[in-house]
């Protein structure tokens, strides 16, 4: 019965994590805003609310690097997941994250401390 309770708790947490809305994300493009580049400066950068997920994409077009930070209304990838793709001979890197203003960091990865804390809390609750 304990395993069933743990499994049920895990399913509820995953469902809630997948459907929770309301995080804040930076929204900018390095073509129009110099503060949006990889050496990110939050000064004068738009912040959108009610996002399901934040995203940062980086594309190399010729000799130029274009960075875009955005707010997704639905989850398009896993938290901390980055994908590299090639499109029209250009390399594109897209990363997803699920916490407030997380797309302002150069490397978006889920912190090990967050995972360990979540597991410890889950075992303490049961």
């Amino acid at each position: 019965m304990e395993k069933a309770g743990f499994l049920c708790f895990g399913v509820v947490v995953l469902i809630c994590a997948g459907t929770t809305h309301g995080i804040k994300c930076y929204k900018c493009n390095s073509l129009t805003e110099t503060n949006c580049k990889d050496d990110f400066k939050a000064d004068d950068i738009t912040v959108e609310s009610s996002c399901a997920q934040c995203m940062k994409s980086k594309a190399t077009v010729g000799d130029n690097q274009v960075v875009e930070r955005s707010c997704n209304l639905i989850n398009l990838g896993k938290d901390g997941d980055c994908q590299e793709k090639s499109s029209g001979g250009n390399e594109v890197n897209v990363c997803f994250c699920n916490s407030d203003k997380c797309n302002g960091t150069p490397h978006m990865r889920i912190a090990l401390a967050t995972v360990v804390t979540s597991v410890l809390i889950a075992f303490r609750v049961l």
Side-chain angles (χ1 to χ4, degrees), residues 9 12 15-16 30 32-34 37 39 44 51 57 59 63-64 80 85 95-96 98 100 103 107 109 114 118 122 126:
F9 175 76
V12 169
I15 289 171
C16 290
S30 66
T32 58
E33 299 165 89
T34 57
K37 294 180 181 178
D39 56 341
D44 299 321
C51 306
S57 60
D63 292 335
N64 299 318
K85 305 212 179 211
C95 296
F96 306 95
N98 298 337
D100 279 344
N103 62 341
H107 303 287
R109 294 278 182 206
T114 303
S118 299
L126 298 177

Side-chain angles (χ1 to χ4, degrees), residues 17-90:
T19 59
T20 301
H21 292 269
I23 65 172
K24 296 176 184 176
C25 301
Y26 291 109
K27 183 179 179 182
C28 61
N29 185 313
S30 66
L31 291 175
T32 58
E33 299 165 89
T34 57
N35 285 350
C36 193
K37 294 180 181 178
D38 255 351
D39 56 341
F40 183 72
K41 296 174 187 73
D43 303 336
D44 299 321
I45 298 293
T46 301
V47 175
E48 285 200 10
S49 304
S50 303
C51 306
Q53 185 174 59
C54 300
M55 185 172 80
K56 176 188 169 194
S57 60
K58 185 170 30 173
T60 303
V61 181
D63 292 335
N64 299 318
Q65 192 171 72
V66 179
V67 176
E68 182 176 7
R69 299 167 198 277
S70 60
C71 163
N72 295 337
L73 298 178
I74 60 172
N75 288 336
L76 298 175
K78 293 179 184 177
D79 186 29
D81 186 30
C82 291
Q83 303 167 5
E84 298 231 3
K85 305 212 179 211
S86 182
S87 176
N90 302 314

Side-chain angles (χ1 to χ4, degrees), residues 5-6 9-10 13 112-126:
F6 181 75
F9 175 76
V13 168
L112 179 60
T114 303
V115 173
V116 171
T117 303
S118 299
V119 169
L120 291 175
I121 290 171
F123 280 112
R124 195 118 165 87
V125 169
L126 298 177

